[in-house]
Amino acid sequence: MLGLTTTVDDDPLARRRRDRRLFGGLVAAAMLALLTLDYLGRPIAAVLAYWTFVVGAGVVMYRSDVIMDERDRALERVASHRAVLAVGAGLVVLGPGIGALSEADVYDAPALVDGVLLGWVALFAVWGVAYGVTRLQR
Amino acid sequence: MKNHVRSYRTDADMSQADLAAAVDVSRQTINSIERERYDPSLELALKLAAYFDCRVEHLFALESADE
């Protein structure tokens, strides 16, 4: 048997658990600090604490070589693909439909819906740029 | 894709966690591979074959190749 062995001192599974817990803890702390300090009427401190914890989580994510393995990345790819399909389908169905209903004086959607549709369009714009860059790289 | 990772692992008297640590993935990834719910990358398939000292096509096979 070939020797791709690990030592107890450098157990990648233990490091993965530690890094994942650290990452999750920092994200949870960021949300908790934001909500708590905002509730206590200290909005600037809330944002500062939030960004401190978020930057910490980012550092953990960036520095860890074990926090995600190839299956995690594959899951992310599939989930992202499904999310884009769902948003695309929503945009195709709702985009022209909402406008037509409004023009026909049948239904006026609240402004929030326009904002959501605009957000979806922006998402696809970002996706298009990301796709183009990725295609150039491969 | 079908695979024989579980039988190679049990023959080697290893746990999923042991194998995961040996090839640097999570235990859940080994579990998903054994249950044939996740097809590993070529790199991981080669790592597993190297670890078990066998040919990769003995460890993994297209379903149609087994029929």
Side-chain angles (χ1 to χ4, degrees), chain A residues 84-102:
Chain A
V84 166
L85 280 182
V87 169
L91 197 57
V92 166
V93 172
L94 290 179
I98 293 290
L101 290 174
S102 180

Side-chain angles (χ1 to χ4, degrees), chain A residues 6-8 10-17 66, chain B residues 20-25:
Chain A
T6 57
T7 65
V8 176
D10 192 23
D11 178 357
L13 294 188
R15 279 196 295 136
R16 187 189 311 276
R17 275 195 299 275
V66 294
Chain B
V23 294
D24 201 21
V25 295

Side-chain angles (χ1 to χ4, degrees), chain A residues 62-115:
Chain A
Y62 180 75
R63 291 181 63 104
S64 175
D65 58 341
V66 294
I67 199 165
M68 290 179 72
D69 70 0
E70 63 169 56
R71 176 172 160 271
D72 296 315
R73 286 187 284 273
L75 291 173
E76 275 196 350
R77 278 196 298 275
V78 172
S80 301
H81 178 67
R82 287 177 178 172
V84 166
L85 280 182
V87 169
L91 197 57
V92 166
V93 172
L94 290 179
I98 293 290
L101 290 174
S102 180
E103 288 291 324
D105 287 331
V106 175
Y107 173 70
D108 276 328
L112 176 67
V113 174
D114 288 336

Side-chain angles (χ1 to χ4, degrees), chain A residues 17-133:
Chain A
R17 275 195 299 275
R18 182 199 62 197
D19 290 356
R20 284 186 170 218
R21 285 174 183 164
L22 191 55
F23 178 79
L26 285 167
V27 170
M31 300 305 297
L32 191 66
L34 181 67
L35 294 173
T36 304
L37 290 169
D38 197 51
Y39 178 77
L40 294 174
R42 304 186 62 183
I44 301 296
V47 171
L48 287 176
Y50 172 80
W51 276 113
T52 302
F53 285 120
V54 164
V55 168
V59 169
V60 171
M61 173 69 88
Y62 180 75
R63 291 181 63 104
S64 175
D65 58 341
V66 294
I67 199 165
M68 290 179 72
D69 70 0
E70 63 169 56
R71 176 172 160 271
D72 296 315
R73 286 187 284 273
L75 291 173
E76 275 196 350
R77 278 196 298 275
V78 172
S80 301
H81 178 67
R82 287 177 178 172
V84 166
L85 280 182
V87 169
L91 197 57
V92 166
V93 172
L94 290 179
I98 293 290
L101 290 174
S102 180
E103 288 291 324
D105 287 331
V106 175
Y107 173 70
D108 276 328
L112 176 67
V113 174
D114 288 336
V116 169
L117 291 176
L118 198 61
W120 287 357
V121 170
L123 173 68
F124 270 95
V126 173
W127 182 87
V129 171
Y131 180 85
V133 171

